[in-house]
Amino acid sequence: MVLALTVCGIVVALVVVALFVFGLRRRLIQRSGGTFDCSLRWDAPEKGDVGGKGWAYGVARYNGDRVEWFRVFSYAPRPRRVLERSAIEVASRRVPEGEEELALLSDAVILACLHRGTRLELAMSEDALTGFLAWLEAAPPGQRVNVA
C-alpha cells in the first residue's frame, strides 16, 4: 500500500513539474515581447484541400528580420521554424473551412505563403495578422516584399 502511494505521489509530482516547465518555457519565449499565437501548417497542400490535418499550434515571436515559431507542446528551447522576412511571399488570405474550423482557434484567419519555395500556411487572429503584414511591409529599404 505504501509503495502504491509513493508511486502515485511521484507520478503526480512529475505531471506537475511537466506542466510547470511548459508554462515556464512559454513565459521565457514571451518575455522579450513581440509574440502572438500562430498555428502553422508546413508543406501545406494545394488550394482546395481544407482538411484539418497538418496544423500545429504554436507561438510566433518577432526577432529582427525573422519570425521564430515555437510549438506550444514541446520542451525545445529553440524555435521549430524560422521565417525570414525577405523570403516570405504572401499568396492569399482566407478563413478556415471544413475541418480546419475544428483544428484552429475560433477567430483565426489563414495566410497562405511561400518561404524559400515551401508552401506554408499561418493561422492567427485578425489583430495578429494586421501586425504580421505591417511587419512584412516595414522591411528596410532595398529589400523586396511580396504581399498579395
Side-chain angles (χ1 to χ4, degrees), residues 7-147:
V7 170
C8 287
I10 290 171
V11 169
V12 168
L14 289 174
V15 168
V16 168
V17 168
L19 291 174
F20 176 77
V21 171
F22 270 133
L24 179 64
R25 178 180 169 268
R26 183 165 178 143
R27 185 82 168 164
L28 290 173
I29 291 168
Q30 292 179 323
R31 181 176 57 179
S32 63
T35 61
F36 57 98
D37 291 334
C38 178
S39 295
L40 172 77
R41 181 156 62 169
W42 195 260
D43 283 331
E46 295 299 318
K47 287 185 179 182
D49 183 356
V50 292
K53 294 183 179 179
W55 287 104
Y57 183 62
V59 175
R61 175 176 68 188
Y62 297 110
N63 187 3
D65 284 338
R66 305 180 316 167
V67 168
E68 300 170 334
W69 184 83
F70 299 82
R71 290 181 74 101
V72 167
F73 301 108
S74 172
Y75 292 110
R78 294 187 177 172
R80 177 76 175 227
R81 302 281 182 199
V82 176
L83 306 175
E84 296 166 8
R85 180 174 13 208
S86 62
I88 299 172
E89 297 179 37
V90 177
S92 65
R93 171 182 172 171
R94 64 184 178 83
V95 294
E97 300 172 5
E99 294 177 20
E100 287 179 327
E101 293 180 60
L102 301 173
L104 301 173
L105 295 174
S106 61
D107 64 341
V109 177
I110 298 172
L111 197 64
C113 303
L114 285 172
H115 184 264
R116 301 196 185 282
T118 301
R119 183 172 155 70
L120 63 103
E121 292 179 327
L122 301 168
M124 59 190 87
S125 70
E126 191 72 43
D127 292 340
L129 177 64
T130 302
F132 182 78
L133 293 175
W135 174 79
L136 275 179
E137 293 174 358
Q143 284 189 354
R144 67 175 178 84
V145 177
N146 300 310
V147 179

